[in-house]
């Protein structure tokens, strides 16, 4: 019988190699997950399940809306009020959860372009139109809504925040009622610890469409202002009462921003 001599140094070296291998494997898996997430979020959806007619309509609507937003909004004279609130979030190593009324989506899409913001997008065909348009402006989409696939989309947005991405809600979408804040942003903020950042786009001249959201299309060469409010944080262990209070705060903040927008228009 032979005996192998025990070497603490050899065991320590082997343990370190094993730990390093496991760490390397976790890093590869994390990188693969991040790549998969970005592909889902920023890649264009496969339209093969749509009929040829629907694919044509989607392509035409995509290019028409994109061109309209870019041409009109590039003529606007922009100003920003409250940018320090966004800077404060970023300086504290948090990520913003942008929230705004659906009526502002035309001009807001242009203003926040190319930040990689992930927006909840409806899983319907209508959501396909808007999803493709905003991706051309540098956004990502988490498919789902308050009526279809909302839980799945919220989970995707939480993964985005945890990966260092910013997210956004048209908080009264996808079908209203207009200017009534839904609970998705509060839920997401409580689960992730990130900051809700309400904002509103004020326009000096615009056309209001007869749609449920009263969508505002800015007049070319008019003035526009991004009005940004103070962030709202929701504790992870917030009670139902505290959560309701934060929801009411979000509603009142967005209402106040609309009032501020009307005051700004008179300046």
């Amino acid at each position: 019988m032979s005996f192998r001599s025990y070497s603490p140094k050899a065991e320590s070296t082997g343990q370190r190699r094993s730990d390093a291998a496991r760490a390397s494997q976790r890093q590869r898996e994390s990188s693969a997950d991040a790549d998969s997430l970005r592909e889902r979020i920023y890649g264009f959806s496969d339209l093969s399940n749509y009929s040829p007619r629907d694919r044509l309509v989607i392509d035409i609507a995509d290019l028409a809306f994109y061109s309209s937003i870019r041409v009109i909004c590039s003529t606007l004279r922009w100003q920003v009020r409250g940018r320090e609130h966004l800077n404060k979030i970023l300086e504290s190593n948090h990520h913003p959860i942008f929230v705004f009324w659906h009526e502002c989506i035309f001009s807001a899409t242009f203003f926040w372009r190319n930040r990689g913001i992930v927006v909840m997008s409806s899983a319907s065909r209508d959501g396909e139109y808007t999803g493709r348009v905003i991706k051309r402006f540098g956004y990502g989409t988490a498919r789902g809504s308050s009526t279809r696939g909302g839980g799945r989309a919220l989970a995707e947005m939480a993964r985005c925040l945890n990966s260092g991405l910013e997210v956004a809600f048209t908080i009264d979408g996808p079908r209203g009622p207009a200017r009534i804040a839904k609970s998705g942003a509060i839920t997401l903020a409580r689960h992730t610890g990130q900051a809700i950042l309400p904002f509103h786009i004020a326009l000096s001249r615009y056309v209001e469409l007869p749609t449920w959201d009263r969508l505002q299309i800015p007049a070319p060469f008019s003035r526009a202002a991004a009005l940004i409010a103070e962030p709202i944080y929701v504790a992870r262990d917030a009670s139902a009462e505290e959560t309701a209070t934060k929801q009411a705060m979000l509603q009142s903040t967005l209402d106040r921003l609309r009032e501020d927008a009307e005051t700004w228009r008179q300046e």
Side-chain angles (χ1 to χ4, degrees):
M1 180 181 295
S2 62
F3 294 90
R4 184 176 60 184
S5 61
Y6 170 71
S7 171
K9 181 178 181 180
E11 182 174 332
S12 176
T13 300
Q15 183 64 42
R16 286 198 297 271
R17 288 175 178 170
S18 178
D19 290 344
R22 284 195 292 269
S24 178
Q25 177 65 21
R26 287 194 296 269
Q27 186 174 8
R28 288 194 296 271
E29 291 173 353
S30 176
S31 178
D33 289 343
D35 290 344
S36 176
L37 175 66
R38 287 181 174 274
E39 176 62 27
R40 290 197 305 274
I41 294 302
Y42 297 111
F44 283 91
S45 301
D46 180 11
L47 299 181
S48 61
N49 291 329
Y50 289 94
S51 69
R53 179 182 179 279
D54 284 344
R55 290 199 296 270
L56 178 62
V57 170
I58 289 171
D59 286 339
I60 292 174
D62 169 15
L63 293 175
F65 292 150
Y66 171 78
S67 300
S68 298
I69 293 171
R70 178 164 289 282
V71 169
I72 294 174
C73 291
S74 63
T75 70
L76 302 181
R77 291 169 288 149
W78 288 92
Q79 60 179 274
V80 184
R81 295 184 179 181
R83 187 181 291 276
E84 67 274 10
H85 301 312
L86 172 59
N87 293 339
K88 185 177 180 180
I89 292 173
L90 300 177
E91 289 166 2
S92 64
N93 293 320
H94 284 87
H95 310 300
I97 302 171
F98 296 95
V99 296
F100 61 109
W101 296 137
H102 208 279
E103 67 188 54
C104 301
I105 195 169
F106 191 99
S107 47
T109 297
F110 184 83
F111 181 76
W112 296 110
R113 67 194 185 280
N114 297 328
R115 289 183 65 94
I117 299 171
V118 179
V119 181
M120 183 179 286
S121 175
S122 170
S124 67
R125 188 178 65 175
D126 290 348
E128 194 65 61
Y129 302 151
T130 57
R132 296 178 82 83
V133 171
I134 64 176
K135 284 180 179 180
R136 294 186 184 278
F137 283 101
Y139 293 82
T141 60
R143 300 302 298 272
S145 69
S146 58
T147 54
R148 296 180 61 188
R152 182 176 64 253
L154 277 177
E156 191 87 301
M157 295 179 89
R159 284 191 287 270
C160 291
L161 286 168
N162 292 334
S163 297
L165 302 177
E166 300 172 350
V167 304
F169 286 88
T170 50
I171 201 65
D172 53 347
R175 299 189 182 279
R179 301 171 186 165
I180 301 297
K182 295 180 179 176
S183 61
I186 295 292
T187 300
L188 189 61
R190 182 166 61 85
H191 283 290
T192 63
Q194 302 299 342
I196 298 172
L197 188 66
F199 76 90
H200 188 81
I201 303 295
L203 301 169
S204 61
R205 294 182 294 116
Y206 60 88
V207 174
E208 185 176 281
L209 300 186
T211 52
W212 72 263
D213 57 353
R214 307 169 205 172
L215 180 66
Q216 296 179 355
I217 309 297
F221 303 100
S222 56
R223 294 183 301 128
L227 309 179
I228 305 172
E230 294 184 7
I232 298 173
Y233 289 90
V234 185
R236 293 178 186 267
D237 59 350
S239 66
E241 182 178 357
E242 291 168 334
T243 300
T245 298
K246 295 292 185 176
Q247 180 70 31
M249 181 185 299
L250 175 59
Q251 178 72 48
S252 64
T253 299
L254 287 165
D255 289 341
R256 177 174 52 79
L257 286 173
R258 284 195 69 254
E259 294 172 359
D260 292 345
E262 289 304 311
T263 301
W264 173 86
R265 289 184 66 203
Q266 306 305 318
E267 294 178 356

